[in-house]
Amino acid sequence: MDTLPPNLTINGSRLWQSLMEMAQIGATPKGGVCRIALTDLDKQGRDLFVRWCREAGCTITIDRIGNIFARRAGRDDSLAPVLTGSHLDTQPTGGKFDGVYGVLAGLEVIRSLNDLNYETDAPVEVAVWTNEEGTRFAPSMVASGVFAGEFDLDYGLSRADLDGKTMGEELARIGYAGDAPVGGRPLTAYFEAHIEQGPILEAEGKTIGVVTDAQGQRWYEITLTGQEAHAGPTPMERRKDALLGAARVVEAVNRIGLKHQPGACATVGLMQIHPNSRNVIPGRVFFTVDFRHPDDAVLAAMDAELRAEVARIAADTKLESELEQIFYYAPVRFEESCVAAVRRGVERTGHSARDMVSGAGHDACYVAKVTPTAMVFIPCVDGISHNEIEHTTPEWAAAGCEVLLHAVLEKASVSAGSSR
Ligand SMILES: [Zn+2]
């Protein structure tokens, strides 16, 4: 690669303006965005992105699950591209930045390269992954999952919403059922810029999160069964109170989370009490457990502890217990040379930074299975995300984009290892 131009930077106000313009599509009265996957609003957001990319000289490819790739040619266009991007779909009460920041930061990288008249060795592509949020079609990140070979294409296209409309039908309806094969082509690297969605960067006064890992997850469904009985005539020692058992499991889950610090998260987020009547001893309680940790061995230890605690508590409280792990997601360690490229981007731009583990799932977690990958986090105000008040600042947005530019340029250079 040529030596880097001295004025290597991005246009922060143009990036911010584009974020604000995109946020008008699906804007909510409280200042958020509702642009749910494969709705008319999602189509409008995609159309705007595609128009901006064409104006920036990119060619557009859409694959069979609706992922969009905007490509800026390289000096040697046969080299495997460096990919960056994220998602444009939002939660129903979502914000202006989750996902869309990574997409438009990628576009800003391309616009800046155009301004600088800078030709990369390898092509650079910006990806928009379909249905990242999983709010309309479960599971989340399904299209990057198909791209990475985690799911079959037919599985992805047949995901249906509550009205029975499938992703395949809805892609065709909005004009984004492309004909390119999904994945299976060589890539040099993938970088995803994203808001942190947590409070750490802001609290520590750091601008950039160098994401080294993403947490593994284990989700459980637990049912404790005792016996419904009248709250008055049933003596305490004769009760089989399913809610008492559940309460003790909630305590145990919290204890397991606290025991495996740093890094563990342990949550009971949903509980259904049967029959849920004020003068009936609860006969059955259904609840969920969500465990997260970046180390698979620790996650396995948490799993063993949960099973032992549930068995012990059920015996103590004279309850039947059923425990099922319904979801397992292995921890992801992002690739060393890509993480290093982000680190060098931080050094060259002079922004403050710290290493981070992503607590949320991202498209990057799947893409990491098929190409070297890393992520760049920027702070979000008060750590709030998946909320209409989700906010970041123009300065943070620009900083993350500068770091992204440096990381992309390093990987798009033949000397630093872009490949055929
Ligand atoms: Zn996201």
Side-chain angles (χ1 to χ4, degrees):
M1 181 166 73
D2 301 343
T3 47
L4 295 172
N7 54 342
L8 184 62
T9 187
I10 57 96
N11 184 332
S13 64
R14 177 172 57 196
L15 169 60
W16 192 255
Q17 246 182 334
S18 298
L19 283 163
M20 293 307 109
E21 197 174 332
M22 186 62 85
Q24 287 169 19
I25 300 175
T28 63
K30 287 184 186 161
V33 176
C34 175
R35 198 171 48 234
I36 293 170
L38 310 188
T39 58
D40 291 352
L41 289 169
D42 188 19
K43 172 188 164 52
Q44 285 177 40
R46 287 163 172 264
D47 288 351
L48 180 59
F49 170 75
V50 166
R51 175 163 71 76
W52 280 340
C53 291
R54 288 213 167 105
E55 286 166 4
C58 295
T59 51
I60 303 290
T61 302
I62 297 160
D63 73 16
R64 292 183 61 199
I65 197 140
N67 297 321
I68 306 171
F69 301 91
R71 180 181 177 106
R72 183 181 189 266
R75 185 178 295 128
D76 179 351
D77 219 37
S78 68
L79 291 171
V82 174
L83 193 62
T84 184
S86 192
H87 59 98
L88 287 176
D89 67 319
T90 73
Q91 290 286 330
T93 53
K96 300 186 193 79
F97 304 99
D98 175 3
V100 59
Y101 170 66
V103 171
L104 296 184
L107 172 60
E108 179 53 42
V109 164
I110 281 179
R111 287 170 164 173
S112 298
L113 292 173
N114 289 346
D115 291 349
L116 294 161
N117 247 323
Y118 189 89
E119 203 177 18
T120 53
D121 292 333
V124 175
E125 294 187 14
V126 182
V128 175
W129 305 106
T130 299
N131 186 53
E132 191 275 345
E133 294 289 358
T135 182
R136 180 177 178 198
F137 304 98
S140 54
M141 307 181 293
V142 66
S144 53
V146 174
F147 185 88
E150 191 74 5
F151 307 119
D152 291 343
L153 175 62
D154 288 344
Y155 171 84
L157 293 174
S158 64
R159 295 306 87 209
D161 68 9
L162 290 175
D163 298 329
K165 292 177 182 154
T166 65
M167 275 184 50
E169 290 160 8
E170 287 294 274
L171 278 168
R173 187 185 67 80
I174 68 166
Y176 278 88
D179 48 19
V182 185
R185 63 187 173 113
L187 300 170
T188 290
Y190 176 63
F191 293 101
E192 182 165 345
H194 207 283
I195 56 169
E196 179 197 345
Q197 303 183 284
I200 297 169
L201 289 174
E202 188 187 29
E204 294 190 0
K206 298 286 201 305
T207 305
I208 300 294
V210 179
V211 187
T212 57
D213 297 85
Q215 284 178 322
Q217 303 182 28
R218 286 177 185 260
W219 291 8
Y220 304 87
E221 291 182 350
I222 300 176
T223 304
L224 296 179
T225 307
Q227 193 168 51
E228 285 115 75
H230 198 299
T234 317
M236 296 302 288
E237 72 276 8
R238 293 182 68 91
R239 297 181 178 207
K240 295 180 178 173
D241 182 343
L243 183 56
L244 176 65
R248 290 185 185 173
V249 175
V250 172
E251 270 287 354
V253 164
N254 186 254
R255 230 171 20 243
I256 292 167
L258 290 172
K259 179 180 161 190
H260 293 285
Q261 295 303 311
C265 293
T267 307
V268 175
L270 182 155
M271 185 173 282
Q272 292 169 329
I273 302 164
H274 180 81
N276 213 22
S277 170
R278 71 187 69 223
N279 54 359
V280 179
I281 298 160
R284 190 174 70 245
V285 176
F286 168 88
F287 58 102
T288 61
V289 174
D290 175 325
F291 277 168
R292 302 182 186 216
H293 199 281
D295 182 336
D296 216 20
V298 177
L299 207 53
M302 292 167 71
D303 173 83
E305 286 164 27
L306 176 68
R307 289 173 193 276
E309 285 290 300
V310 169
R312 183 185 64 76
I313 290 166
D316 285 357
T317 49
K318 295 172 282 186
L319 302 172
E320 302 288 320
S321 66
E322 277 171 61
L323 181 154
E324 192 188 352
Q325 180 181 299
I326 57 151
F327 177 69
Y328 166 69
Y329 189 79
V332 177
R333 167 136 301 169
F334 289 119
E335 197 266 346
E336 226 169 282
S337 74
C338 287
V339 174
V342 173
R343 255 190 244 294
R344 273 188 289 275
V346 166
E347 283 159 22
R348 288 186 187 131
T349 55
H351 296 299
S352 59
R354 60 161 282 160
D355 286 3
M356 300 208 69
V357 173
S358 173
H362 293 288
D363 292 307
C365 299
Y366 281 140
V367 181
K369 292 177 189 292
V370 288
T371 192
T373 294
M375 294 190 75
V376 180
F377 276 178
I378 61 166
C380 59
V381 175
D382 294 330
I384 294 173
S385 178
H386 283 192
N387 190 311
E388 289 162 276
I389 64 168
E390 176 184 281
H391 192 59
T392 188
T393 68
E395 294 73 26
W396 289 336
C401 187
E402 283 176 33
V403 171
L404 179 67
L405 171 68
H406 280 270
V408 166
L409 282 188
E410 177 172 321
K411 283 292 178 182
S413 140
V414 164
S415 56
S418 56
S419 60
R420 269 168 223 273

